[in-house]
Amino acid sequence: MNVAEVREIAQQIQAEIGKAVIGQAATVELLTTALLAGGHVLLEGPPGTAKTFLAQCFARTLRLDFGRIQFTPDLMPGDILGTNVFNFQTSAFTLTRGPIFCELLVADEINRTPPKTQAALLEAMQERHVTLDGVRHDLGSRFMVVATQNPLEQQGTYPLPEAQLDRFLFKQSMPYPSEEEERAIVTGHGQRGGSPDPAAFGVQAVLDGAGLSAAMAVVAGIRLHEDVVSYIVRLVRATREAPDLEGGASPRAAVMLAMAARARAVMEGRDYVIPDDVKALALPALRHRVLLSPAAQIEGRRAEAVVAELIAQVEAPK
């Protein structure tokens, strides 16, 4: 597989999702970028903005093992990971696998469950395996989490721990559609009762596991010049030095941003990364990894605005 073929696959994925999801082109592009970069995505927005439906459409475009968890306040870690159950017939414990044992996991309303249960995803998201009773179970290099969450100011939500937020490559905010887009949504979906089904809109799979592994290998081989590496490091370090931020992005953020920039370069048909690739992805890659200082919170500042200012201030290589 080469750069042109991976770019065509990415365009096909976006076209298939576009059959069912109206608007949200930037979100679809970020999902495709994260897929090729081997990263996880957190989608945030008010109810009814198609977060879950978009994740379902994205999953349908891929011939991957698919799992879905509806997070609720009473969900326990064992409900996600599984547990060893004693079999009286064999007098031995057998593993009952939880829904996390898949290649693409949709974690719906992840912030509806307490941090204790959220933490069940930490090992899986970072290391692509889980440990049950001291035994390691691999999830595969293609394991990906697409999580949705409602804004924190809504009822019954719990903030995600910083360690878990840092494991997401992107956090994307899904706003309400424009008036024209909403009119098209009502026209296309208004006559259908119940929950929308991607299959009913003709969404087809365009990529299987072997193809995804080949595409990710192409992305990993994209050239990253030292000047671009320095630019990424300066951006990330700027978040740690900004007076309005109490906590900045981690070295993991720089590594993941570099991989995402490689994926975007492929989607643009290039075998090398340019500074614009980094600049285009810096906000969704950094906005969830920073903490506002108390003074900035009192002033009513938003972390996203502070990060956007830093991106504009840090000079990109020519």
Side-chain angles (χ1 to χ4, degrees), residues 10-91:
Q11 291 173 342
Q12 289 175 354
I13 290 173
Q14 295 173 56
E16 289 296 322
I17 296 174
K19 293 178 181 178
V21 179
I22 298 169
Q24 306 295 352
T27 303
V28 175
E29 185 175 344
L30 281 180
L31 277 171
T32 311
T33 304
L35 174 71
L36 297 176
H40 311 291
V41 179
L42 177 61
L43 304 177
E44 181 182 85
T49 49
K51 300 185 300 296
T52 303
F53 184 54
L54 174 56
Q56 291 173 336
C57 291
F58 177 67
R60 186 168 175 81
T61 65
L62 308 169
R63 294 189 188 93
L64 300 178
D65 242 358
F66 171 64
R68 183 178 182 274
I69 302 173
Q70 179 66 52
F71 282 80
T72 57
D74 60 347
L75 197 71
M76 298 297 290
D79 299 326
I80 298 173
L81 303 177
T83 185
N84 284 308
V85 179
F86 187 76
N87 188 326
F88 287 94
Q89 293 181 337
T90 62
S91 297

Side-chain angles (χ1 to χ4, degrees), residues 32-206:
T32 311
T33 304
L35 174 71
L36 297 176
H40 311 291
V41 179
L42 177 61
L43 304 177
E44 181 182 85
T49 49
K51 300 185 300 296
T52 303
F53 184 54
L54 174 56
Q56 291 173 336
C57 291
F58 177 67
R60 186 168 175 81
T61 65
L62 308 169
R63 294 189 188 93
L64 300 178
D65 242 358
F66 171 64
R68 183 178 182 274
I69 302 173
Q70 179 66 52
F71 282 80
T72 57
D74 60 347
L75 197 71
M76 298 297 290
D79 299 326
I80 298 173
L81 303 177
T83 185
N84 284 308
V85 179
F86 187 76
N87 188 326
F88 287 94
Q89 293 181 337
T90 62
S91 297
F93 285 93
T94 57
L95 175 63
T96 300
R97 296 192 171 199
I100 200 171
F101 285 89
C102 61
E103 292 178 302
L104 178 61
L105 177 67
V106 175
D108 200 18
E109 296 191 273
I110 190 173
N111 64 335
R112 291 285 181 195
T113 197
K116 174 184 177 180
T117 304
Q118 295 171 9
L121 292 174
L122 290 176
E123 181 183 12
M125 292 177 66
Q126 177 61 27
E127 302 173 41
R128 262 71 176 189
H129 63 70
V130 297
T131 303
L132 294 171
D133 293 338
V135 180
R136 169 175 160 168
H137 302 273
D138 289 326
L139 299 174
S141 60
R142 296 188 294 264
F143 177 73
M144 178 181 183
V145 175
V146 178
T148 71
Q149 73 169 12
N150 292 316
L152 291 177
E153 64 268 14
Q154 296 200 354
Q155 294 288 335
T157 58
Y158 301 84
L160 296 182
E162 286 81 3
Q164 185 161 26
L165 285 171
D166 196 41
R167 282 159 167 77
F168 284 102
L169 171 56
F170 296 131
K171 177 186 175 185
Q172 175 69 353
S173 299
M174 294 182 62
Y176 287 115
S178 65
E179 182 177 351
E180 182 180 348
E181 290 171 342
E182 194 161 2
R183 191 180 296 113
I185 291 170
V186 173
T187 301
H189 293 253
Q191 77 277 19
R192 302 173 186 269
S195 179
D197 181 8
F201 292 89
V203 178
Q204 300 292 328
V206 298

